[in-house]
Amino acid sequence: MNEFELIYDVIAPTSCLRDDVLLGIGDDGAVLAPPSGQSLVVVADTLVAGRHFPPDFAPADIGYRAAAVNLSDIAAMGATPLWATLALTLPASDVDWVRGFAGGLADALRPASTALVGGDTTRGPLTVTVQIIGSLPAGSALTRAGARPGDLVYVSGSPGDAAAGLAAWPPPPAPSAALAQLFARFTRPTPRLALGVALRGLASSCVDVSDGLLADAGHLAARSGCALELDATRLPLSAALRETCAPSTALQHALTGGDDYELCFTLPPAALPRLGALAGPGMPPLTCIGRVVDGAGVRALGPDGRVLHFARPGFDHFNGANQQEQSGPMME
Ligand code: ADP
Ligand code: MG
């Protein structure tokens, strides 16, 4: 298959349709109708083979991940996704690979009603860049900058699962139910889109957990100009994680492991009564794991109230020393 057959016959048909796509794949550019009165939110993330996913990752899981990590950024902003572009660099024109990849991409984009409206296809080492454009009412974006001392710190879902899945990679032929669940959390993370939208006007700051809870909570602290104090005993560790890992390893995965794509947000105490309304179908469980205090940085306190220390709080793409550590995530 040539480049254009791959694009038009394999990739394009997997896209969902939206009325606001006035001109989609097939021309020099896409023409899109932005929702009136809304601000646009634009995110992009690149996945490089062997760096952001294991070399033996299934094509469908690569496609899914490329979309999901971007949808997670959209969720963290409180936006609704609308349109996506895909820049795909492939070592060879492998139709089966692209078919699997495009199916996985659609598995993530379709439930989010996000249309693939364009992209680029080139030959080279396997690299995938997805860009997503979303929207929200002007002035309602969730940012990293609004946390204030006295706010409570929350996390969605059960952090640490994805890192435990990666640590056990590759999956054995017959993994236990618990291990299978951890692998699924690693290969098919759920972007918390409904939660992000529901947190508009409620959360004082928000970030998605891609690099590790301590590292990403650190972004909230830095951008908000205050400190976050996390209580490690309150971390909502999943039964699968506790069943699979020793307590100290489970804690390390939950605090420093990446790839969870949960939301970590801060909530002013006055907003607390409205939090209960967020429970329901499609919503992950929410757990208060700490508080915002004066100062700088993030600390996690253990059962004895003492500060826990880890060799690395999370993944840093440009910190070579950190990358030598073994048990943390390979992803950023
Ligand atoms: P141009 O040469 O003008 O940049 P291309 O020939 O690269 O256009 O692309 C043709 C059409 O196919 C464009 O609409 C482009 O957005 C779309 N396209 C190319 N690659 C991809 C891809 N990997 N996924 C989705 N759309 C793509
Ligand atoms: Mg052109």
Side-chain angles (χ1 to χ4, degrees), residues 8-98:
Y8 299 128
D9 298 346
V10 181
I11 297 175
T14 64
S15 177
C16 66
L17 303 174
R18 291 184 61 100
D19 291 345
D20 52 14
V21 180
L22 308 179
L23 186 59
I25 292 173
D27 215 300
D28 290 310
V31 182
L32 309 166
S36 62
Q38 303 242 320
S39 300
L40 297 179
V41 175
V42 183
V43 305
D45 252 324
T46 293
L47 305 185
V48 177
R51 174 161 288 275
H52 301 99
F53 54 85
D56 57 347
F57 227 41
D61 290 337
I62 299 171
Y64 180 93
R65 184 175 207 80
V69 300
N70 281 282
L71 290 169
S72 178
D73 282 327
I74 288 281
M77 297 302 295
T80 301
L82 305 169
W83 313 300
T85 65
L86 165 67
L88 188 56
T89 303
L90 295 171
S93 164
D94 179 339
V95 184
D96 289 335
W97 192 96
V98 175

Side-chain angles (χ1 to χ4, degrees), residues 108-139:
L109 292 183
R110 196 174 292 275
S113 303
T114 304
L116 185 64
V117 298
D120 193 27
T121 307
T122 52
R123 187 183 290 264
L126 179 59
T127 307
V128 186
T129 300
V130 167
Q131 177 188 53
I132 295 186
I133 301 169
S135 71
L136 40 67

Side-chain angles (χ1 to χ4, degrees), residues 15 76 97 145 153 165 227 252 258 305 317:
S15 177
W97 192 96
V153 182
Q252 174 160 347
H317 214 82

